[in-house]
Amino acid sequence: GHIVRNWKVRWFVLLQDKLLYYKIEGGKKESSPKGRILLDGCTITCPCLEYENRPLLIKLKTKTNTDYFLECCSREERDSWALDITGAIHAGHPVQVQELHRMKNSFKLLDNISLHDIVERMYDSSTGIKLTRNLDQGNRYKETFTGSALVDWLISNSFAVSRFEAVTLASMLMDENFIRPVGARSTEAMRFSDPSEKFLDDSTALYMFAESGKKNTSSKEEVQFNISELSGTIVKQGFLVKQGHKRKNWKVRRFVLRADPAFLHYYDPTKEENKPVGGFSLRGCLVSALEDNGVPAGVKGNVQGNLFKIITKNDIHYYIQASSKAERVQWIEAIKPLT
């Protein structure tokens, strides 16, 4: 809001030259818009890091210097809106559109610089990147740096001239296994095939040198699994977000669905060892999609959309979020025959 700086749900409609937003009443948008953002002369910032606890922001600054902060529900949605809004801003300026495409496809590492040189500079005790301890969803990591810190460092050391180039360069470092993601935010981004989306220019995304020591985790009782339940044929696997049973927070997990015997296991993608951190038999389970309007009973936190629930025969409830409706349908259809 412009007067009271609170956050409100609005229904947005993107037109060729403006962005309209509507008030939501009773789950439906009103017939007339609450306001509009004229896109002529606008500048867009995505990701916008001005609110550290809101990593899914887009910032629009109009030519009259009015700032709009828009928060999306997922990273995919944020990037999709940013791309479409950027296209609308430049729609009347084909030369600028061509320049955007040229910049995206033209970045190459300087001939006199190698990735090894960059990593050596990063390690330098006086001029290298600053390493800190970070806590992410209960896990404590030593000697990490954030995605935005690495982008800043690459630009300040003249390895890149823009944040886009720095993100591309950081993706190269990750592809060549010089650095690796740790923590939920950065690990989740590895699902994307586009190199520019794998590395996050974000103050909440954590990375570390690939050869650095393993993280220190709080001591937990190790979950034991019978060898037979891990011997089934893998039917489906992929990354989903799961609500915890105790803290009720949401974490990215790699799920593996097996048949004969039918089990669903989930793994912590930040751990190098290939051991499940949880799992259960699917025999006698119930699986169903949850409504996308509002927060369903049993779900904690501001998580909405693409949710489904699995209830085991021992009446344990698992709440899981897929990245899209199509992915949710695929998982439910794969699980149901095994229950």
Side-chain angles (χ1 to χ4, degrees):
H2 288 295
I3 301 172
V4 181
R5 296 288 182 176
N6 54 358
W7 296 84
K8 297 176 181 177
V9 176
R10 293 288 182 256
W11 179 271
F12 280 81
V13 176
L14 177 61
L15 303 180
Q16 187 173 1
D17 59 344
K18 56 179 151 308
L19 192 60
L20 304 179
Y21 53 94
Y22 296 79
K23 190 175 180 181
I24 301 293
E25 289 288 350
K28 296 181 180 180
K29 72 180 179 72
E30 291 186 339
S31 57
S32 58
K34 180 79 174 175
R36 62 178 184 170
I37 305 171
L38 298 178
L39 297 178
D40 181 39
C42 255
T43 57
I44 183 170
T45 304
C46 179
C48 170
L49 305 178
E50 293 189 28
Y51 290 85
E52 191 168 323
N53 62 336
R54 294 181 180 272
L56 300 178
L57 284 187
I58 296 171
K59 177 183 177 181
L60 290 176
K61 181 184 282 290
T62 68
K63 65 179 180 182
T64 57
N65 289 324
T66 303
D67 291 338
Y68 290 87
F69 294 93
L70 316 178
E71 183 176 37
C72 300
C73 297
S74 67
R75 186 174 181 277
E76 294 88 346
E77 189 177 69
R78 180 199 68 185
D79 293 346
S80 176
W81 272 99
L83 182 64
D84 290 339
I85 292 171
T86 302
I89 290 173
H90 296 302
H93 308 279
V95 174
Q96 292 184 9
V97 175
Q98 291 174 7
E99 180 66 13
L100 285 172
H101 286 291
R102 188 194 65 78
M103 286 178 59
K104 184 172 182 179
N105 298 316
S106 65
F107 176 71
K108 292 182 180 179
L109 194 61
L110 295 174
D111 292 336
N112 60 334
I113 296 292
S114 69
L115 295 179
H116 288 278
D117 296 332
I118 294 173
V119 174
E120 282 189 16
R121 290 273 297 276
M122 288 174 66
Y123 270 112
D124 190 284
S125 57
S126 57
T127 61
I129 191 164
K130 185 178 180 182
L131 303 177
T132 58
R133 291 173 178 262
N134 278 286
L135 190 69
D136 179 86
Q137 299 194 19
N139 296 321
R140 189 177 298 278
Y141 300 92
K142 287 183 177 179
E143 299 185 330
T144 62
F145 46 88
T146 66
S148 56
L150 178 54
V151 169
D152 292 340
W153 185 88
L154 290 169
I155 293 173
S156 64
N157 284 271
S158 302
F159 291 116
V161 297
S162 68
R163 299 194 80 80
F164 176 81
E165 287 192 3
V167 167
T168 305
L169 186 51
S171 299
M172 292 180 182
L173 292 171
M174 200 159 55
D175 288 341
E176 295 298 324
N177 203 33
F178 288 110
I179 64 174
R180 64 184 178 91
V182 289
R185 284 277 297 140
S186 55
T187 305
E188 181 187 9
M190 290 297 291
R191 293 189 299 165
F192 295 96
S193 57
D194 188 337
S196 65
E197 295 182 332
K198 287 183 178 180
F199 183 87
L200 299 181
D201 179 5
D202 194 313
S203 61
T204 63
L206 300 181
Y207 299 87
M208 69 191 313
F209 290 113
E211 59 187 44
S212 296
K214 295 181 181 179
K215 66 182 183 210
N216 295 331
T217 57
S218 55
S219 59
K220 296 179 181 177
E221 183 179 350
E222 190 169 337
V223 183
Q224 299 294 326
F225 295 94
N226 192 306
I227 295 177
S228 63
E229 69 183 71
L230 297 172
S231 63
T233 303
I234 294 178
V235 176
K236 185 175 177 59
Q237 59 182 315
F239 290 93
L240 298 166
V241 184
K242 172 187 165 295
Q243 179 177 270
H245 288 294
K246 294 180 180 178
R247 295 186 181 180
K248 304 298 181 184
N249 53 355
W250 292 83
K251 296 181 180 179
V252 175
R253 292 291 182 251
R254 180 172 65 87
F255 279 79
V256 177
L257 177 62
R258 293 182 172 90
D260 301 322
F263 277 84
L264 184 64
H265 293 98
Y266 49 94
Y267 299 73
D268 185 344
T270 66
K271 293 183 178 180
E272 292 182 358
E273 62 271 19
N274 193 32
K275 294 180 180 178
V277 294
F280 50 91
S281 170
L282 290 173
R283 187 176 294 269
C285 282
L286 297 174
V287 58
S288 61
L290 297 177
E291 295 295 332
D292 286 347
N293 53 341
V295 181
V299 173
K300 304 295 183 182
N302 187 24
V303 177
Q304 299 183 37
N306 309 322
L307 292 168
F308 63 98
K309 177 170 69 173
I310 302 175
I311 305 175
T312 70
K313 64 179 181 181
N314 297 324
D315 200 33
I316 298 174
H317 294 225
Y318 289 85
Y319 295 96
I320 303 168
Q321 183 183 37
S323 63
S324 66
K325 288 184 179 179
E327 186 181 49
R328 176 174 66 180
V329 169
Q330 291 169 8
W331 274 100
I332 291 174
E333 290 181 347
I335 291 170
K336 272 188 175 179
L338 303 176
T339 59

